[in-house]
Amino acid sequence: MNKSGRRRITRNREVKSCERCIAGKRKCDKDKPKCERCTRLGIICLYPTRAGLKKSALVSNSSEDSSTLHFLVEANNKTTSNNFQIVTNLTGEVSVFIPTNHFPFYGLFSKLDDTFTITQGNSGVNDVFDFSRFTTKILSLRQLKAKIPAKELGDHFISHFFSEIFPLVPIIDRDDFLLKWKTYWEEPYSFSDLNALILMFGVFFSSCVSIQLNSLYHGPPDFASSDLDRHKMEYFECVENIRYLLKTDICPSIPAISSLGLMYYVSSLNCYGLAAAISTLQRYCQMAGLHRKTSQLPEKPLKEILYGFVTYLDSLVSVYHGLPTQVDPRVSEITEISDALPESVHVLAFFARFFSARICARSRTSLNKINGPSAHDVRKLKKDFKKVQRVVKSINEKISDSQYLPTSDKDFVKAGNQLFLRRAAYFLVVMKIIVETSDQEKLVDLSCHHKELLIQSLLLMNESFILISQLPNSGRGCLWFARNTYPLEAILIVISNLETYPTEGINFSNLSHKERYTTCDSIDYISGDIRAILLEKCCDALQQIECLWPPVLRELFRKIVEIKERTLCKGRGSCDTTCSAVVKANVAQSTR
């Protein structure tokens, strides 16, 4: 009997549908060993071993991690919608928010285990820094200054910072910083400028992370890894102590915001796990008045660049992790696109990435609306995207004409600008398809044959592998920047299309002249089928930098590579002569 006094009706008939279709409330064709829907989605298909199998067995039986992860999907909860899912553990003590458009064209359950693995897994020792560590040491000014590295080591950290990090994050005054460093060593005992100290420790910390990543990629490090770990922890503790001494929560300063922003960006994977910290930085910027313009001059003042940088970090949180952007353009003057561009090459390049990332974040936020994006959202964002496209084109032309950068550096910087522009275009296509398609089942099917989505995925993969391949030639060791390049969802879409339509030739021959992309000399983008070769090129490039990722992301990427290899091997037997030749050529090239 239930609470209303009515007898509960139970079904005794045998459940013949597979567990995936039962959980998704979809019609199952009951074909064994794998039903048609699970085959089409590329997910594990399991049939219940007894009648009345509970839904709680779905995840626990379908994942290799079932011994440690036991999650229930609240399919009937009123707080869920087509755009997000709330997942809890069996006891209700853990609740995880999963945007379904994390991989928008693939079944939620097929990606759930990977998402949990990334959320719950070990981040690795050398790959990212855990900013959730609790600092218990209370340091005086004298103790803080005792943590300053010896001058030779400090000079090395500073030189590395201005060579490898500052060109991509131009948010400090170089001349003023070097002057403060010189002043400190002239009178170290009387030096008491806490704002200068917090910026110094932020620079030292960021250089330690960058040097450590370079050692993972290039081989034997200049410093012992344990020493760099110790330095990082010490510098982090110093920054946290100075934040307390400066009363940053009450009166934040530009050096404090700069130091924290540098540390968060360089030592994380696209600011993963730092949503609350970045939101706090946004508040610091507003408290310091950085969101208001003070000058109409073409050359941007430092405070505007810094606010743009923190807004950029907020965009990364939104784009890569599905959380809504915290920036309200109605109260910010810095996020507007201005016709007057700065003269500095590095600041120019940063603003190209900044404007593209803002369009990405706004699209991502629209995707996560409870009722989904509207046609008005798509029209407005497409209009803004075209404006950003023109600005990025103008910036890249200025960079090409610059006399201050060598050609190799110019190519690397322009590729970084194009990469974010391509990701913005990809999100806009996702929005457009979701607006045009109300049926979720049909939406999944569209991943296989939607031409515009496929082209944008290919363009994103192309810019990603070119950026990584240009890194050795750029003369820089900006591996902390390149490791954030992983278009995994685009790779999955291309694999899905190639598996479904192995003989269809896809290339960029019909692209509009406005769709600019970086070219690789070994690829014919205009004729033939470029899907297989771009898959190979992109995955090969990502394999070069996967040593810089946390273990959980490496494992996810290796699973995707396995799917790619199976698809290409399968394609060798079913593709036509042209496609088969391309696949064989790529396999031979990767073997060599």
Side-chain angles (χ1 to χ4, degrees), residues 233-258:
M233 192 60 205
E234 287 180 348
Y235 300 151
F236 167 68
E237 289 176 343
C238 290
V239 168
E240 290 298 294
N241 272 271
I242 297 175
R243 284 178 68 182
Y244 171 76
L245 293 174
L246 287 174
K247 295 180 170 48
T248 304
D249 289 337
I250 300 173
C251 185
S253 64
I254 287 181
I257 298 171
S258 300

PDB file of all heavy atoms in Angstrom, residues 233-258:
ATOM      1  N   MET A 233      54.815  25.184  -3.345  1.00  0.00           N
ATOM      2  CA  MET A 233      54.021  25.217  -2.121  1.00  0.00           C
ATOM      3  C   MET A 233      54.404  26.404  -1.253  1.00  0.00           C
ATOM      4  O   MET A 233      53.544  27.081  -0.670  1.00  0.00           O
ATOM      5  CB  MET A 233      54.220  23.901  -1.352  1.00  0.00           C
ATOM      6  CG  MET A 233      53.236  23.709  -0.223  1.00  0.00           C
ATOM      7  SD  MET A 233      51.526  23.686  -0.807  1.00  0.00           S
ATOM      8  CE  MET A 233      50.650  24.197   0.659  1.00  0.00           C
ATOM      9  N   GLU A 234      55.693  26.685  -1.167  1.00  0.00           N
ATOM     10  CA  GLU A 234      56.140  27.820  -0.364  1.00  0.00           C
ATOM     11  C   GLU A 234      55.615  29.139  -0.935  1.00  0.00           C
ATOM     12  O   GLU A 234      55.133  30.003  -0.182  1.00  0.00           O
ATOM     13  CB  GLU A 234      57.669  27.848  -0.302  1.00  0.00           C
ATOM     14  CG  GLU A 234      58.284  26.774   0.586  1.00  0.00           C
ATOM     15  CD  GLU A 234      59.801  26.854   0.620  1.00  0.00           C
ATOM     16  OE1 GLU A 234      60.372  27.594  -0.224  1.00  0.00           O
ATOM     17  OE2 GLU A 234      60.413  26.194   1.476  1.00  0.00           O
ATOM     18  N   TYR A 235      55.711  29.303  -2.256  1.00  0.00           N
ATOM     19  CA  TYR A 235      55.262  30.551  -2.872  1.00  0.00           C
ATOM     20  C   TYR A 235      53.745  30.706  -2.765  1.00  0.00           C
ATOM     21  O   TYR A 235      53.233  31.827  -2.586  1.00  0.00           O
ATOM     22  CB  TYR A 235      55.705  30.601  -4.332  1.00  0.00           C
ATOM     23  CG  TYR A 235      57.216  30.526  -4.510  1.00  0.00           C
ATOM     24  CD1 TYR A 235      57.782  29.980  -5.659  1.00  0.00           C
ATOM     25  CD2 TYR A 235      58.074  30.986  -3.525  1.00  0.00           C
ATOM     26  CE1 TYR A 235      59.158  29.901  -5.825  1.00  0.00           C
ATOM     27  CE2 TYR A 235      59.454  30.914  -3.669  1.00  0.00           C
ATOM     28  CZ  TYR A 235      59.990  30.359  -4.821  1.00  0.00           C
ATOM     29  OH  TYR A 235      61.357  30.276  -4.980  1.00  0.00           O
ATOM     30  N   PHE A 236      53.031  29.589  -2.868  1.00  0.00           N
ATOM     31  CA  PHE A 236      51.577  29.632  -2.695  1.00  0.00           C
ATOM     32  C   PHE A 236      51.230  30.079  -1.270  1.00  0.00           C
ATOM     33  O   PHE A 236      50.345  30.927  -1.071  1.00  0.00           O
ATOM     34  CB  PHE A 236      50.984  28.250  -2.980  1.00  0.00           C
ATOM     35  CG  PHE A 236      49.554  28.087  -2.555  1.00  0.00           C
ATOM     36  CD1 PHE A 236      48.534  28.776  -3.199  1.00  0.00           C
ATOM     37  CD2 PHE A 236      49.217  27.241  -1.503  1.00  0.00           C
ATOM     38  CE1 PHE A 236      47.216  28.628  -2.809  1.00  0.00           C
ATOM     39  CE2 PHE A 236      47.902  27.090  -1.105  1.00  0.00           C
ATOM     40  CZ  PHE A 236      46.893  27.781  -1.761  1.00  0.00           C
ATOM     41  N   GLU A 237      51.918  29.540  -0.284  1.00  0.00           N
ATOM     42  CA  GLU A 237      51.673  29.930   1.099  1.00  0.00           C
ATOM     43  C   GLU A 237      51.988  31.410   1.321  1.00  0.00           C
ATOM     44  O   GLU A 237      51.274  32.108   2.053  1.00  0.00           O
ATOM     45  CB  GLU A 237      52.511  29.065   2.044  1.00  0.00           C
ATOM     46  CG  GLU A 237      52.045  27.620   2.133  1.00  0.00           C
ATOM     47  CD  GLU A 237      52.961  26.767   3.000  1.00  0.00           C
ATOM     48  OE1 GLU A 237      54.107  27.223   3.254  1.00  0.00           O
ATOM     49  OE2 GLU A 237      52.548  25.668   3.406  1.00  0.00           O
ATOM     50  N   CYS A 238      53.039  31.889   0.672  1.00  0.00           N
ATOM     51  CA  CYS A 238      53.394  33.308   0.802  1.00  0.00           C
ATOM     52  C   CYS A 238      52.308  34.199   0.218  1.00  0.00           C
ATOM     53  O   CYS A 238      51.933  35.222   0.830  1.00  0.00           O
ATOM     54  CB  CYS A 238      54.724  33.583   0.114  1.00  0.00           C
ATOM     55  SG  CYS A 238      56.159  32.868   0.961  1.00  0.00           S
ATOM     56  N   VAL A 239      51.791  33.836  -0.952  1.00  0.00           N
ATOM     57  CA  VAL A 239      50.726  34.623  -1.571  1.00  0.00           C
ATOM     58  C   VAL A 239      49.492  34.646  -0.675  1.00  0.00           C
ATOM     59  O   VAL A 239      48.870  35.700  -0.461  1.00  0.00           O
ATOM     60  CB  VAL A 239      50.380  34.054  -2.969  1.00  0.00           C
ATOM     61  CG1 VAL A 239      49.087  34.680  -3.501  1.00  0.00           C
ATOM     62  CG2 VAL A 239      51.517  34.313  -3.940  1.00  0.00           C
ATOM     63  N   GLU A 240      49.128  33.494  -0.117  1.00  0.00           N
ATOM     64  CA  GLU A 240      47.951  33.429   0.745  1.00  0.00           C
ATOM     65  C   GLU A 240      48.152  34.270   2.014  1.00  0.00           C
ATOM     66  O   GLU A 240      47.216  34.934   2.475  1.00  0.00           O
ATOM     67  CB  GLU A 240      47.663  31.974   1.124  1.00  0.00           C
ATOM     68  CG  GLU A 240      47.167  31.118  -0.028  1.00  0.00           C
ATOM     69  CD  GLU A 240      45.848  31.618  -0.571  1.00  0.00           C
ATOM     70  OE1 GLU A 240      44.843  31.565   0.156  1.00  0.00           O
ATOM     71  OE2 GLU A 240      45.817  32.075  -1.735  1.00  0.00           O
ATOM     72  N   ASN A 241      49.348  34.279   2.566  1.00  0.00           N
ATOM     73  CA  ASN A 241      49.623  35.085   3.751  1.00  0.00           C
ATOM     74  C   ASN A 241      49.581  36.574   3.434  1.00  0.00           C
ATOM     75  O   ASN A 241      49.051  37.371   4.223  1.00  0.00           O
ATOM     76  CB  ASN A 241      50.993  34.719   4.334  1.00  0.00           C
ATOM     77  CG  ASN A 241      50.925  33.580   5.334  1.00  0.00           C
ATOM     78  OD1 ASN A 241      50.732  33.792   6.526  1.00  0.00           O
ATOM     79  ND2 ASN A 241      51.048  32.353   4.843  1.00  0.00           N
ATOM     80  N   ILE A 242      50.134  36.959   2.291  1.00  0.00           N
ATOM     81  CA  ILE A 242      50.117  38.382   1.931  1.00  0.00           C
ATOM     82  C   ILE A 242      48.693  38.836   1.636  1.00  0.00           C
ATOM     83  O   ILE A 242      48.321  39.983   1.916  1.00  0.00           O
ATOM     84  CB  ILE A 242      51.056  38.642   0.734  1.00  0.00           C
ATOM     85  CG1 ILE A 242      52.498  38.305   1.122  1.00  0.00           C
ATOM     86  CG2 ILE A 242      50.969  40.098   0.299  1.00  0.00           C
ATOM     87  CD1 ILE A 242      53.487  38.424  -0.026  1.00  0.00           C
ATOM     88  N   ARG A 243      47.877  37.944   1.063  1.00  0.00           N
ATOM     89  CA  ARG A 243      46.457  38.284   0.860  1.00  0.00           C
ATOM     90  C   ARG A 243      45.813  38.670   2.190  1.00  0.00           C
ATOM     91  O   ARG A 243      45.016  39.618   2.262  1.00  0.00           O
ATOM     92  CB  ARG A 243      45.702  37.087   0.263  1.00  0.00           C
ATOM     93  CG  ARG A 243      45.946  36.841  -1.201  1.00  0.00           C
ATOM     94  CD  ARG A 243      45.178  35.614  -1.669  1.00  0.00           C
ATOM     95  NE  ARG A 243      43.743  35.846  -1.654  1.00  0.00           N
ATOM     96  CZ  ARG A 243      42.845  34.918  -1.982  1.00  0.00           C
ATOM     97  NH1 ARG A 243      43.239  33.697  -2.316  1.00  0.00           N
ATOM     98  NH2 ARG A 243      41.557  35.202  -1.966  1.00  0.00           N
ATOM     99  N   TYR A 244      46.161  37.933   3.235  1.00  0.00           N
ATOM    100  CA  TYR A 244      45.610  38.227   4.558  1.00  0.00           C
ATOM    101  C   TYR A 244      46.146  39.561   5.086  1.00  0.00           C
ATOM    102  O   TYR A 244      45.392  40.387   5.615  1.00  0.00           O
ATOM    103  CB  TYR A 244      45.965  37.090   5.516  1.00  0.00           C
ATOM    104  CG  TYR A 244      45.627  37.370   6.958  1.00  0.00           C
ATOM    105  CD1 TYR A 244      44.312  37.303   7.416  1.00  0.00           C
ATOM    106  CD2 TYR A 244      46.633  37.716   7.865  1.00  0.00           C
ATOM    107  CE1 TYR A 244      44.008  37.570   8.737  1.00  0.00           C
ATOM    108  CE2 TYR A 244      46.337  37.979   9.190  1.00  0.00           C
ATOM    109  CZ  TYR A 244      45.020  37.906   9.629  1.00  0.00           C
ATOM    110  OH  TYR A 244      44.719  38.176  10.941  1.00  0.00           O
ATOM    111  N   LEU A 245      47.451  39.765   4.935  1.00  0.00           N
ATOM    112  CA  LEU A 245      48.060  41.003   5.440  1.00  0.00           C
ATOM    113  C   LEU A 245      47.535  42.233   4.694  1.00  0.00           C
ATOM    114  O   LEU A 245      47.389  43.317   5.280  1.00  0.00           O
ATOM    115  CB  LEU A 245      49.582  40.916   5.322  1.00  0.00           C
ATOM    116  CG  LEU A 245      50.280  39.875   6.211  1.00  0.00           C
ATOM    117  CD1 LEU A 245      51.770  39.806   5.875  1.00  0.00           C
ATOM    118  CD2 LEU A 245      50.074  40.203   7.688  1.00  0.00           C
ATOM    119  N   LEU A 246      47.271  42.081   3.393  1.00  0.00           N
ATOM    120  CA  LEU A 246      46.773  43.200   2.585  1.00  0.00           C
ATOM    121  C   LEU A 246      45.268  43.405   2.735  1.00  0.00           C
ATOM    122  O   LEU A 246      44.721  44.368   2.189  1.00  0.00           O
ATOM    123  CB  LEU A 246      47.093  42.964   1.105  1.00  0.00           C
ATOM    124  CG  LEU A 246      48.546  43.132   0.668  1.00  0.00           C
ATOM    125  CD1 LEU A 246      48.706  42.709  -0.792  1.00  0.00           C
ATOM    126  CD2 LEU A 246      48.996  44.581   0.831  1.00  0.00           C
ATOM    127  N   LYS A 247      44.608  42.465   3.462  1.00  0.00           N
ATOM    128  CA  LYS A 247      43.148  42.514   3.589  1.00  0.00           C
ATOM    129  C   LYS A 247      42.495  42.559   2.196  1.00  0.00           C
ATOM    130  O   LYS A 247      41.663  43.429   1.907  1.00  0.00           O
ATOM    131  CB  LYS A 247      42.706  43.698   4.438  1.00  0.00           C
ATOM    132  CG  LYS A 247      43.158  43.596   5.901  1.00  0.00           C
ATOM    133  CD  LYS A 247      42.688  44.787   6.703  1.00  0.00           C
ATOM    134  CE  LYS A 247      42.924  44.594   8.204  1.00  0.00           C
ATOM    135  NZ  LYS A 247      44.261  44.132   8.562  1.00  0.00           N
ATOM    136  N   THR A 248      42.895  41.612   1.348  1.00  0.00           N
ATOM    137  CA  THR A 248      42.446  41.597  -0.045  1.00  0.00           C
ATOM    138  C   THR A 248      40.933  41.468  -0.174  1.00  0.00           C
ATOM    139  O   THR A 248      40.331  42.025  -1.108  1.00  0.00           O
ATOM    140  CB  THR A 248      43.130  40.440  -0.799  1.00  0.00           C
ATOM    141  OG1 THR A 248      44.545  40.584  -0.669  1.00  0.00           O
ATOM    142  CG2 THR A 248      42.780  40.453  -2.272  1.00  0.00           C
ATOM    143  N   ASP A 249      40.291  40.763   0.743  1.00  0.00           N
ATOM    144  CA  ASP A 249      38.837  40.603   0.667  1.00  0.00           C
ATOM    145  C   ASP A 249      38.095  41.911   0.915  1.00  0.00           C
ATOM    146  O   ASP A 249      36.918  42.032   0.569  1.00  0.00           O
ATOM    147  CB  ASP A 249      38.364  39.555   1.677  1.00  0.00           C
ATOM    148  CG  ASP A 249      38.772  38.147   1.277  1.00  0.00           C
ATOM    149  OD1 ASP A 249      39.010  37.932   0.069  1.00  0.00           O
ATOM    150  OD2 ASP A 249      38.862  37.279   2.153  1.00  0.00           O
ATOM    151  N   ILE A 250      38.776  42.876   1.515  1.00  0.00           N
ATOM    152  CA  ILE A 250      38.151  44.172   1.805  1.00  0.00           C
ATOM    153  C   ILE A 250      38.609  45.225   0.799  1.00  0.00           C
ATOM    154  O   ILE A 250      37.811  46.023   0.297  1.00  0.00           O
ATOM    155  CB  ILE A 250      38.491  44.629   3.237  1.00  0.00           C
ATOM    156  CG1 ILE A 250      37.972  43.599   4.245  1.00  0.00           C
ATOM    157  CG2 ILE A 250      37.905  46.003   3.523  1.00  0.00           C
ATOM    158  CD1 ILE A 250      38.403  43.874   5.671  1.00  0.00           C
ATOM    159  N   CYS A 251      39.909  45.216   0.501  1.00  0.00           N
ATOM    160  CA  CYS A 251      40.475  46.236  -0.392  1.00  0.00           C
ATOM    161  C   CYS A 251      41.482  45.588  -1.342  1.00  0.00           C
ATOM    162  O   CYS A 251      42.694  45.662  -1.124  1.00  0.00           O
ATOM    163  CB  CYS A 251      41.146  47.333   0.444  1.00  0.00           C
ATOM    164  SG  CYS A 251      41.752  48.731  -0.533  1.00  0.00           S
ATOM    165  N   PRO A 252      40.999  44.918  -2.386  1.00  0.00           N
ATOM    166  CA  PRO A 252      41.912  44.213  -3.309  1.00  0.00           C
ATOM    167  C   PRO A 252      42.756  45.184  -4.119  1.00  0.00           C
ATOM    168  O   PRO A 252      42.304  46.270  -4.487  1.00  0.00           O
ATOM    169  CB  PRO A 252      40.953  43.432  -4.221  1.00  0.00           C
ATOM    170  CG  PRO A 252      39.677  44.205  -4.167  1.00  0.00           C
ATOM    171  CD  PRO A 252      39.592  44.792  -2.803  1.00  0.00           C
ATOM    172  N   SER A 253      43.999  44.788  -4.384  1.00  0.00           N
ATOM    173  CA  SER A 253      44.916  45.622  -5.170  1.00  0.00           C
ATOM    174  C   SER A 253      45.188  44.965  -6.520  1.00  0.00           C
ATOM    175  O   SER A 253      44.994  43.755  -6.694  1.00  0.00           O
ATOM    176  CB  SER A 253      46.238  45.805  -4.413  1.00  0.00           C
ATOM    177  OG  SER A 253      46.891  44.553  -4.252  1.00  0.00           O
ATOM    178  N   ILE A 254      45.666  45.755  -7.463  1.00  0.00           N
ATOM    179  CA  ILE A 254      45.985  45.237  -8.791  1.00  0.00           C
ATOM    180  C   ILE A 254      47.080  44.170  -8.719  1.00  0.00           C
ATOM    181  O   ILE A 254      46.962  43.117  -9.362  1.00  0.00           O
ATOM    182  CB  ILE A 254      46.363  46.387  -9.744  1.00  0.00           C
ATOM    183  CG1 ILE A 254      45.103  47.176 -10.119  1.00  0.00           C
ATOM    184  CG2 ILE A 254      47.066  45.872 -10.984  1.00  0.00           C
ATOM    185  CD1 ILE A 254      45.352  48.327 -11.069  1.00  0.00           C
ATOM    186  N   PRO A 255      48.181  44.366  -7.967  1.00  0.00           N
ATOM    187  CA  PRO A 255      49.191  43.310  -7.889  1.00  0.00           C
ATOM    188  C   PRO A 255      48.639  41.993  -7.323  1.00  0.00           C
ATOM    189  O   PRO A 255      49.016  40.918  -7.789  1.00  0.00           O
ATOM    190  CB  PRO A 255      50.258  43.903  -6.952  1.00  0.00           C
ATOM    191  CG  PRO A 255      50.118  45.381  -7.122  1.00  0.00           C
ATOM    192  CD  PRO A 255      48.653  45.601  -7.292  1.00  0.00           C
ATOM    193  N   ALA A 256      47.746  42.071  -6.336  1.00  0.00           N
ATOM    194  CA  ALA A 256      47.174  40.849  -5.768  1.00  0.00           C
ATOM    195  C   ALA A 256      46.332  40.120  -6.805  1.00  0.00           C
ATOM    196  O   ALA A 256      46.416  38.892  -6.955  1.00  0.00           O
ATOM    197  CB  ALA A 256      46.332  41.180  -4.540  1.00  0.00           C
ATOM    198  N   ILE A 257      45.510  40.855  -7.541  1.00  0.00           N
ATOM    199  CA  ILE A 257      44.667  40.243  -8.584  1.00  0.00           C
ATOM    200  C   ILE A 257      45.540  39.651  -9.679  1.00  0.00           C
ATOM    201  O   ILE A 257      45.287  38.541 -10.173  1.00  0.00           O
ATOM    202  CB  ILE A 257      43.692  41.288  -9.163  1.00  0.00           C
ATOM    203  CG1 ILE A 257      42.748  41.804  -8.071  1.00  0.00           C
ATOM    204  CG2 ILE A 257      42.892  40.693 -10.320  1.00  0.00           C
ATOM    205  CD1 ILE A 257      41.893  42.986  -8.493  1.00  0.00           C
ATOM    206  N   SER A 258      46.592  40.365 -10.071  1.00  0.00           N
ATOM    207  CA  SER A 258      47.503  39.880 -11.120  1.00  0.00           C
ATOM    208  C   SER A 258      48.186  38.591 -10.687  1.00  0.00           C
ATOM    209  O   SER A 258      48.280  37.631 -11.462  1.00  0.00           O
ATOM    210  CB  SER A 258      48.555  40.941 -11.442  1.00  0.00           C
ATOM    211  OG  SER A 258      47.960  42.136 -11.890  1.00  0.00           O
TER     212      SER A 258
END
